[in-house]
């Protein structure tokens, strides 16, 4: 049996030294070391050996197995190294080739307008305040002088989640929350950007979700002239230094007096065109002096403090600024539309 083992070793090593690929190497591994391999076949005869012969033959068998396994492992490493070198040569990167250009995106037009408005008001000393989009009925309506069953609520058909929770219909609740948090301290000088939700049918000028930016200023001696000057400054920074504004009486439950604000048409400069329907003016926002009742509920004495508030729809500003005729273009994710603004 010892001679058979030595002969098997010589045959195996001779065949393994001639192997030139990994597939053949695996075949020889099975041939000599597998469960039905040559070495296993010889070792099945160990039972017929005497007790003195078994340790000797066992040692020889281990030496044969070790020699075959060592050579197989060496050959395996050699083939793996050759495969690695082959792949490195085949997958070599030619650094002299021009790179593949990546398409560069841009800021969405609505975000662009929001950032521009924020920059203008931050430059006038305002800070940015934010609040929850799921709002309580109290902050969304009651704290803004809109008690339950007030007819003005009909203008803001709402998404109610419970009797007291709804998706906010305006960013004005942030103003109410800020006044509560300030606990009567002044000055208050904030803008409140964010998404709002109303049960509107989608069309060219309406959407169930849109963006608003509202502003609030509270202090001693705040007057309507301060509001007018602020809005004139904003309009000229936003639409051009030659822009004029026009104030028209209006009604909002949370301001008194209330005004609508128009700017000279950015398309025709006030001479009259299709955009302004021949009037020379384009409405952009609503505003007014903060209602005494709102001040009182916010923790401010209306006999001592006064303030003004304004609110604008970002989509309305973007429509007018860029001459877009349908609000839905901002939401359809049409690259052909959006890439126009990426280049600006």
């Amino acid at each position: 049996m010892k001679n058979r083992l030595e002969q098997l070793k010589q045959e195996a090593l001779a065949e393994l030294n001639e192997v030139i690929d990994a597939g053949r190497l695996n075949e020889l591994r099975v041939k000599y070391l597998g469960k039905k391999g040559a070495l296993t076949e010889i070792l099945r005869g160990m039972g017929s050996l005497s007790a003195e012969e078994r340790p000797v033959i066992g040692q020889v068998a281990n030496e044969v197995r070790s020699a075959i396994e060592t050579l197989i492992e060496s050959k395996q490493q050699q083939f793996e190294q050759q495969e690695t070198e082959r792949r490195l040569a085949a997958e070599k990167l030619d650094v002299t080739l021009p790179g593949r250009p990546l398409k560069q995106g841009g800021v969405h037009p609505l975000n662009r307008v929001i950032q521009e408005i924020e920059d203008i008001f931050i430059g006038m000393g305002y800070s940015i305040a934010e609040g929850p989009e799921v709002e309580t009925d109290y902050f969304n309506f009651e704290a803004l002088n809109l008690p339950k069953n007030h007819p003005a609520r009909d203008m803001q058909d709402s998404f109610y989640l419970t009797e007291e929770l709804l998706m906010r219909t305006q960013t004005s609740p942030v103003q109410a929350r800020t006044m509560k948090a300030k606990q009567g301290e002044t000055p208050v000088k904030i803008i409140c950007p964010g998404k709002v939700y109303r049960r509107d049918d989608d069309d060219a000028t309406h959407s169930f979700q849109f963006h608003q930016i509202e502003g609030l200023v509270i202090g001693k001696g705040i007057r309507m002239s301060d509001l007018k000057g602020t809005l004139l400054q904003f309009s000229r920074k936003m639409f051009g230094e030659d822009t004029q504004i026009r104030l028209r009486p209006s009604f909002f439950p949370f301001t008194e007096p209330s005004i609508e604000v128009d700017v000279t048409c950015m398309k025709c400069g006030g001479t009259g065109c299709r955009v302004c329907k021949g009037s020379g003016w384009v409405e952009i926002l609503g505003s007014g002096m903060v209602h005494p009742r709102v001040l009182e509920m916010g923790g401010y004495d209306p006999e001592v403090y006064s303030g003004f508030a304004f609110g604008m729809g970002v989509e309305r500003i973007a429509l007018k600024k860029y001459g877009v005729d349908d609000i839905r273009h901002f939401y359809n994710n049409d690259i052909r539309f959006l890439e126009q603004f990426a280049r600006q």
Side-chain angles (χ1 to χ4, degrees):
M1 183 176 288
K2 181 177 180 181
N3 291 336
R4 289 176 61 192
L5 287 171
E6 291 291 344
Q7 183 180 359
L8 174 66
K9 176 182 177 181
Q10 298 302 322
E11 290 178 1
L13 296 181
E15 279 199 274
L16 287 169
N17 280 321
E18 296 179 359
V19 171
I20 59 174
D21 63 77
R24 177 60 178 161
L25 181 66
N26 190 57
E27 290 177 2
L28 292 178
R29 185 199 307 275
V30 174
K31 176 180 178 181
Y32 290 107
L33 302 179
K35 291 182 179 180
K36 296 181 181 180
L39 181 60
T40 304
E41 187 66 28
I42 293 174
L43 294 178
R44 285 195 181 117
M46 290 278 287
S48 61
L49 298 177
S50 65
E52 293 79 10
E53 291 179 309
R54 287 176 187 171
V56 176
I57 298 302
Q59 182 178 353
V60 173
N62 288 336
E63 291 173 355
V64 171
R65 180 185 294 277
S66 177
I68 295 174
E69 287 178 343
T70 299
L71 185 53
I72 288 175
E73 183 177 346
S74 175
K75 283 285 185 176
Q76 182 68 39
Q77 292 176 353
Q78 177 185 337
F79 294 147
E80 289 176 355
Q81 179 65 27
Q82 291 173 351
E83 176 63 15
T84 300
E85 293 174 356
R86 183 194 68 77
R87 291 180 61 186
L88 286 174
E91 300 173 6
K92 185 181 297 182
L93 176 65
D94 186 352
V95 295
T96 65
L97 290 173
R100 296 184 179 90
L102 298 176
K103 292 195 69 175
Q104 186 173 9
V107 179
H108 191 280
L110 293 181
N111 287 333
R112 185 186 296 274
V113 169
I114 290 171
Q115 291 171 5
E116 189 171 349
I117 295 173
E118 288 177 344
D119 288 344
I120 292 171
F121 282 102
I122 288 173
M124 290 192 281
Y126 286 70
S127 60
I128 297 174
E130 297 180 337
E133 294 180 18
V134 177
E135 190 54 273
T136 64
D137 184 89
Y138 174 79
F139 281 112
N140 196 80
F141 291 124
E142 295 179 47
L144 301 172
N145 201 32
L146 281 159
K148 294 185 185 300
N149 302 317
H150 193 289
R153 289 196 182 200
D154 295 338
M155 296 186 295
Q156 300 185 24
D157 201 3
S158 314
F159 291 105
Y160 273 89
L161 306 178
T162 68
E163 289 187 2
E164 294 299 325
L165 286 178
L166 71 157
M167 304 301 293
R168 68 181 180 188
T169 62
Q170 52 201 354
T171 54
S172 303
V174 182
Q175 300 180 19
R177 287 180 175 273
T178 299
M179 286 190 283
K180 287 284 189 181
K182 287 281 190 178
Q183 296 182 338
E185 292 183 3
T186 58
V188 177
K189 200 173 183 182
I190 60 168
I191 57 170
C192 319
K195 296 177 184 176
V196 298
Y197 306 84
R198 297 182 188 176
R199 293 176 59 186
D200 283 333
D201 295 327
D202 284 1
D203 58 28
T205 57
H206 296 85
S207 174
F208 68 92
Q209 173 194 289
F210 55 100
H211 299 77
Q212 273 190 347
I213 294 183
E214 300 197 11
L216 174 68
V217 173
I218 297 176
K220 292 182 178 180
I222 303 298
R223 300 168 297 178
M224 179 69 79
S225 58
D226 298 315
L227 171 60
K228 180 179 179 182
T230 298
L231 297 180
L232 180 60
Q233 174 75 355
F234 161 72
S235 299
R236 288 181 173 174
K237 290 291 185 181
M238 193 72 192
F239 301 110
E241 291 300 327
D242 294 330
T243 302
Q244 298 296 324
I245 64 172
R246 181 178 69 174
L247 310 183
R248 293 181 289 109
S250 186
F251 167 76
F252 302 111
F254 29 83
T255 54
E256 179 60 38
S258 303
I259 54 174
E260 298 279 2
V261 181
D262 305 330
V263 297
T264 47
C265 179
M266 55 289 300
K267 182 74 173 178
C268 66
T271 59
C273 67
R274 180 181 61 84
V275 174
C276 60
K277 300 178 182 178
S279 69
W281 297 95
V282 175
E283 179 187 334
I284 60 165
L285 59 86
S287 61
M289 302 302 292
V290 180
H291 196 289
R293 178 62 180 148
V294 174
L295 286 171
E296 191 175 8
M297 286 188 290
Y300 292 88
D301 184 349
E303 297 295 328
V304 178
Y305 299 102
S306 58
F308 63 76
F310 55 85
M312 65 190 80
V314 174
E315 284 81 353
R316 176 186 290 270
I317 300 292
L319 287 172
K320 303 306 181 184
K321 183 176 177 67
Y322 297 124
V324 178
D325 60 1
D326 194 322
I327 194 175
R328 290 168 291 193
H329 291 317
F330 293 126
Y331 306 127
N332 289 338
N333 297 324
D334 189 329
I335 296 298
R336 295 169 301 176
F337 173 77
L338 296 175
E339 67 184 1
Q340 301 174 73
F341 303 93
R343 294 192 293 265
Q344 294 183 10

